[in-house]
Amino acid sequence: MSIIARLSSWRWADRAHPRVRRWGVPLFCAVLGLPYVFTAAGESGIAEELALTVAVAVPLLWRERRPMLVFALITTIAVLATYAESPHDANASADAARLVALFNVGRFATPGQILIALAVSVAQLVARTAGLWGDGRPEYAARPELAMLLGTVTVTAIAGLGLATRLVNVVIAALQKEKDQQARLAVAQERARVSKEMHDILGHTLAVVVGLADGAAGLTEAKPQRGAETLRLIADSGRGALAELHRLLAVIGDDNDRPHGAPRAPQPGLADLDPLIERVRAAGPSITLDIDGDLTALTPGLQLAVYRIVQEALTNTLKYAAADTSSSVRVTVGPGTIHVDVEDTGPFREPRSRRRSTGSGRGLIGMRERAAIYQGQVTAGPNREGGWSVHARLLTTPPAP
């Protein structure tokens, strides 16, 4: 699986910078022909070698779009150059260009075209080795049969390598598609989970509103002032519930996992951070908590989002960091925003030192989905101390419409 991951990273880098390979390969083939240009005798010889080098290198720019046409063109040029008794008929630029063209035939052409290209390459190799064109002398007079065998194996391997590259790309694309599907499924599951929790918050808030309304009905005549205060509480609770409802991104999921008639208790908030950290400390890590700002004015949904982000970050620390690591949790409430920073010092737990970068990513997806409800964002990555850092920024007030 690590080989597939390495090939995927190369494929991603190639797609991110396609011009590097597109222009780099023809340039490399052209450079291979420069020694023959410099050592050619006379102006005519230099011109011939330079023309041959350019003629076989330039078509490689279209090797992926028209692989068979490029192969035929380069092969024709090489054969004509050899038949014309070029001073250096073994120009390395032409040989390298033919191999590159054959490789791309294996990558992009049909099976029938691959067989045709192989047959042409083998025939050309046999004729060249046996001296059937050019000056009529065998290129390898000592052991021509061995040279033919090695050459046939080489060209077949080049075409097979191109075909294998195509198959690997198909496998990588399938794995990437499966990974994307799993990521979308994880997003959907996390949104459903967030929706259920928001549903609990709204249900609890509405239950409080109903209870206050019942009390206000009896206080309106007996104690008008208390009744008015109760009505204001109802209005504040209702506005808060509406604000949470507007933030809800996903449709409220099925609630069949809740026992019938069970009360809808409020979800965890920032007041529950201390018990959370104590539970994590019991597993070994040393954790410090620093809260800066007033948390009482934050809505229950926002407190739940911050709580879950801290919880997921600390869970990752327990999974991937050594038991003696130290972590810090800092929650900063500013004007209109709240920042959450969770850092650990590592080191990674062996032998899974790379798991943080190659895991399922569902934890990070969950944190980002929760932050997105409050127009926020989450970043995560390694820090200077060799550990891992998570930073989240959420808006405490909805943006102006």
Side-chain angles (χ1 to χ4, degrees):
M1 202 62 181
S2 60
I3 296 178
I4 296 296
R6 180 64 60 85
L7 292 176
S8 298
S9 64
W10 290 347
R11 186 167 180 258
W12 178 87
D14 180 56
R15 289 191 171 187
H17 307 282
R19 294 184 179 180
V20 174
R21 180 169 54 85
R22 184 189 177 191
W23 291 89
V25 172
L27 182 61
F28 175 75
C29 292
V31 170
L32 291 178
L34 291 181
Y36 299 89
V37 175
F38 295 144
T39 57
E43 295 182 359
S44 60
I46 294 177
E48 290 178 6
E49 292 296 338
L50 183 60
L52 175 61
T53 300
V54 174
V56 297
V58 171
L60 292 178
L61 293 173
W62 295 273
R63 63 190 181 277
E64 296 183 359
R65 296 182 181 180
R66 297 289 187 269
M68 200 62 187
L69 178 61
V70 171
F71 173 79
L73 181 61
I74 293 177
T75 300
T76 302
I77 294 173
V79 170
L80 292 177
T82 305
Y83 184 77
E85 299 184 7
S86 173
H88 297 279
D89 55 5
N91 191 312
S93 180
D95 292 338
R98 279 183 287 180
L99 293 180
V100 171
L102 182 60
F103 173 78
N104 283 274
V105 168
R107 283 188 64 192
F108 301 105
T110 63
Q113 291 174 334
I114 295 176
L115 292 177
I116 293 174
L118 270 176
V120 171
S121 298
V122 172
Q124 181 185 4
L125 177 67
V126 171
R128 178 177 172 179
T129 305
L132 299 181
W133 69 61
D135 57 7
R137 293 176 301 177
E139 186 171 347
Y140 301 97
R143 298 293 298 275
E145 69 282 356
L146 180 60
M148 291 181 188
L149 177 61
L150 293 178
T152 302
V153 171
T154 299
V155 296
T156 304
I158 292 296
L161 182 61
L163 184 60
T165 302
R166 178 195 298 186
L167 296 178
V168 169
N169 287 335
V170 171
V171 172
I172 292 176
L175 292 177
Q176 185 63 42
K177 183 178 180 181
E178 181 183 1
K179 183 179 180 180
D180 293 341
Q181 291 176 344
Q182 291 177 351
R184 287 193 292 267
L185 180 61
V187 169
Q189 292 175 344
E190 190 62 33
R191 288 182 177 180
R193 179 185 174 191
V194 173
S195 299
K196 286 184 178 182
E197 293 174 347
M198 295 290 287
H199 185 226
D200 290 345
I201 291 175
L202 294 176
H204 174 75
T205 302
L206 292 177
V208 172
V209 169
V210 171
L212 291 174
D214 290 338
L219 292 173
T220 302
E221 295 182 358
K223 298 181 179 179
Q225 186 176 359
R226 288 285 305 278
E229 293 177 356
T230 304
L231 291 175
R232 282 192 291 271
L233 289 176
I234 293 175
D236 293 337
S237 299
R239 279 192 292 269
L242 286 176
E244 297 296 340
L245 185 60
H246 285 306
R247 296 179 188 273
L248 193 58
L249 296 180
V251 178
I252 295 178
D254 189 10
D255 213 17
N256 294 330
D257 56 344
R258 180 191 303 280
H260 181 70
R264 300 183 182 274
Q267 294 289 337
L270 295 182
D272 300 290
L273 283 179
D274 285 326
L276 170 65
I277 290 177
E278 288 299 328
R279 291 194 298 269
V280 178
R281 282 175 181 160
S286 173
I287 305 175
T288 60
L289 174 62
D290 184 13
I291 298 178
D292 184 10
D294 183 15
L295 306 180
T296 58
L298 301 179
T299 62
L302 182 56
Q303 293 191 38
L304 173 62
V306 174
Y307 178 90
R308 293 302 188 197
I309 291 173
V310 174
Q311 182 183 43
E312 185 60 43
L314 293 178
T315 300
N316 286 338
T317 298
L318 289 177
K319 286 182 179 179
Y320 306 127
D324 58 347
T325 188
S326 61
S327 301
S328 63
V329 179
R330 181 177 178 84
V331 180
T332 305
V333 181
T337 60
I338 180 171
H339 295 266
V340 182
D341 295 281
V342 182
E343 296 186 355
D344 64 63
T345 59
F348 296 139
R349 181 181 301 169
E350 298 294 344
R352 300 180 297 173
S353 61
R354 297 182 180 270
R355 287 289 300 277
R356 292 202 188 191
S357 59
T358 60
S360 65
R362 294 188 59 176
L364 185 58
I365 290 174
M367 288 188 283
R368 285 174 174 167
E369 288 298 314
R370 294 180 183 278
I373 295 178
Y374 296 92
Q375 291 78 41
Q377 58 185 3
V378 175
T379 57
N383 55 37
R384 297 179 179 178
E385 298 181 359
W388 201 257
S389 297
V390 175
H391 174 72
R393 175 183 175 274
L394 298 83
L395 299 184
T396 57
T397 56

